[in-house]
Amino acid sequence: MRGAWVTVQLVVAVLIISTQLALVVALARDSRVTWLASSIAVLSWIFRGIPPLIILFLVYFAMPQFGVDIKPFPSAVIGMTLYMMFYFGECIRAGLTSVDPGQYQAAKSLGLPPFHTFRRIVLPQALPAVVPPYISHATEVVKGSSLCATIAVAELTGNAYQQIIATYRAFEILLFIGVVYVILDSSLLMFQVYAERRWTARSHR
């Protein structure tokens, strides 16, 4: 259970940080500044092409060669965030693209400031298209957190491995952690169902 709590902390930290950075990535990808949009596109292509385990190893094992020694848990958060922020960024970007361009023109004709237009008009319309793929990737964060055991993070899978070595009761322990992962993923999927029902009910008003 201590490992499960570490997993929850890790997943929440990664989701919060990577979602905020993903919004920046999405906006930068569609920026009118060519060099910025191109640079972010290249970074997205690179980080989505590298396995998350390699990114974790780069943060935890490679950075000390450059004088940057990061503890296991922060390394896990940084590594998973670097991997997921670009996936989330593409989700948000696709959602923003789905909004009718006429909404921007209408807001501009009314004299609304860009930030107000984005927050009150564009983003609410983009969310129904963003949430399903976002939640799908978020469940990958839950399952991918098990990789963090390889860099000495005492999360659910890492603790389970230690218990298996100590007790030789692999079936019971693996069954337990499997149930915990299902519960964590189910909580995210339930949020998706709740959000979709709420949007459906609002659209019929």
Side-chain angles (χ1 to χ4, degrees):
M1 291 304 298
R2 285 195 298 268
W5 174 236
V6 173
T7 294
V8 170
Q9 292 177 299
L10 175 61
V11 170
V12 170
V14 171
L15 290 180
I16 291 175
I17 299 172
S18 61
T19 299
Q20 296 179 63
L21 293 175
L23 180 58
V24 176
V25 168
L27 296 176
R29 283 277 279 116
D30 290 331
S31 171
R32 295 180 180 178
V33 182
T34 305
W35 68 265
L36 177 61
S38 300
S39 300
I40 296 298
V42 171
L43 286 175
S44 178
W45 175 69
I46 291 173
F47 277 95
R48 286 187 295 146
I50 301 176
L53 187 60
I54 301 300
I55 297 177
L56 289 172
F57 283 177
L58 283 172
V59 175
Y60 186 67
F61 293 115
M63 292 307 293
Q65 291 183 239
F66 302 96
V68 181
D69 190 5
I70 308 174
K71 299 294 184 181
F73 187 85
S75 294
V77 173
I78 293 171
M80 293 297 292
T81 296
L82 287 173
Y83 180 68
M84 294 307 306
M85 61 184 280
F86 292 103
Y87 281 99
F88 289 150
E90 291 301 322
C91 294
I92 296 174
R93 178 170 172 260
L96 295 176
T97 304
S98 69
V99 178
D100 187 350
Q103 297 292 324
Y104 295 91
Q105 298 299 325
K108 186 176 182 180
S109 66
L110 293 173
L112 297 178
F115 178 76
H116 183 84
T117 299
F118 178 79
R119 186 172 66 89
R120 299 297 299 273
I121 297 175
V122 176
L123 189 58
Q125 295 184 60
L127 284 177
V130 171
V131 168
Y134 175 90
I135 294 297
S136 178
H137 288 307
T139 60
E140 293 301 319
V141 175
V142 175
K143 290 175 283 190
S145 65
S146 61
L147 296 173
C148 299
T150 60
I151 58 171
V153 177
E155 49 73 63
L156 185 59
T157 301
N159 275 15
Y161 177 70
Q162 297 298 325
Q163 292 297 318
I164 290 172
I165 293 175
T167 65
Y168 296 99
R169 302 185 70 86
F171 177 78
E172 295 93 328
I173 295 170
L174 292 174
L175 179 63
F176 173 77
I177 68 169
V179 170
V180 173
Y181 280 121
V182 169
I183 292 173
L184 294 176
D185 276 340
S186 296
S187 63
L188 292 170
L189 295 173
M190 288 173 64
F191 170 76
Q192 177 183 341
V193 172
Y194 166 77
E196 289 177 341
R197 286 180 178 175
R198 186 171 181 178
W199 288 321
T200 301
R202 183 178 297 177
S203 65
H204 289 298
R205 289 178 182 174

